[in-house]
Amino acid sequence: MGVLRLDKLVSEAVGISRTDARKFIAKGQVCVNGAVCKKADTKVEQTTPLTVNGKAAEYVQYVYIMLNKPQGVVSASTDKRDVTVVNLVQKDFGRRSLFPAGRLDKDSTGFVLLTDDGGFAHDILAPKRHVPKTYKVKLDVPVTAQMQAGFEKGVTLADGESLKPAALTPDLDDPYSCTVVLVQGVYHQIKRMFGVFDAGVVALHRTDIGGVALDSTLQPGAYRCLTAREVALLKREKAE
Ligand code: URA
């Protein structure tokens, strides 16, 4: 575990600026291991019990957020024109350098993972990890047996790129809808795969990443932190 300056620890644990953290510390409002500490440059182990104004404050090194991305929001940290997935969580995590670990198109909806843990993002996005992602897809034509067989074999895109096999399960209630599971992440992959069959995608919603399901209680634009179990599940996806 790491050792940090007290002002940094307080600022990150409470989500305030370093300047404000120093003010709290100088006023004697911060206790380290139960004792008031007024020196902002004191070196403190990250796991040391801290209180700020009598309330326990816990330093968390990284955050992992599940967001239900609405349509029209871009999967980026910043954007000159559009609202980004990071903008949506800013009020709670504004002091962290968050980014999306994997993208959805602007018109797609559903599960986007946000984190500030670069190693974790790198691992789950690494092509050789083949972390499965599940999508609910609605087409402008009925789903066919040829599409299902083609996906199972591995689609060759219009530009000649051969893709890995993907599972396509037709929706029994709606001939235009299906569920697709991908194990790779090529730009506009699902739209381009259906394009090979002259089918257009009219709605695309990601429901699952690496065995973690999008929480059905999250309305579009809502988010929550992953549970420890969900983080562990995704980290296990690293193992080949
Ligand atoms: N495939 C697409 O075409 N778009 C997405 O947003 C995700 C997968």
Side-chain angles (χ1 to χ4, degrees), residues 202-219:
V202 296
L204 183 51
H205 181 77
R206 184 155 65 199
T207 59
D208 188 296
I209 300 175
V212 175
L214 178 64
D215 189 326
S216 60
T217 66
L218 293 176
Q219 297 301 312

Side-chain angles (χ1 to χ4, degrees), residues 103-105 108 135 182 186 188-192 204:
R103 288 161 190 273
L104 280 179
D105 295 340
S108 300
Y135 300 83
L182 299 182
V186 171
H188 290 334
Q189 184 167 344
I190 290 184
K191 291 173 184 161
R192 291 163 73 200
L204 183 51

Side-chain angles (χ1 to χ4, degrees), residues 58-119:
E58 194 191 346
Y59 171 80
V60 178
Q61 189 174 16
Y62 297 122
V63 292
Y64 307 92
I65 301 161
M66 168 192 290
L67 166 74
N68 184 1
K69 185 184 102 56
Q71 264 195 350
V73 172
V74 293
S75 297
S77 300
T78 58
D79 192 88
K80 287 205 180 80
R81 249 193 353 222
D82 292 308
V83 174
T84 71
V85 288
V86 170
N87 293 151
L88 295 182
V89 306
Q90 232 148 20
K91 69 175 163 40
D92 290 324
F93 299 97
R95 301 197 59 74
R96 290 187 175 262
S97 303
L98 291 172
F99 54 89
R103 288 161 190 273
L104 280 179
D105 295 340
K106 185 173 167 183
D107 58 351
S108 300
T109 58
F111 193 169
V112 172
L113 257 177
L114 297 164
T115 186
D116 49 1
D117 182 347

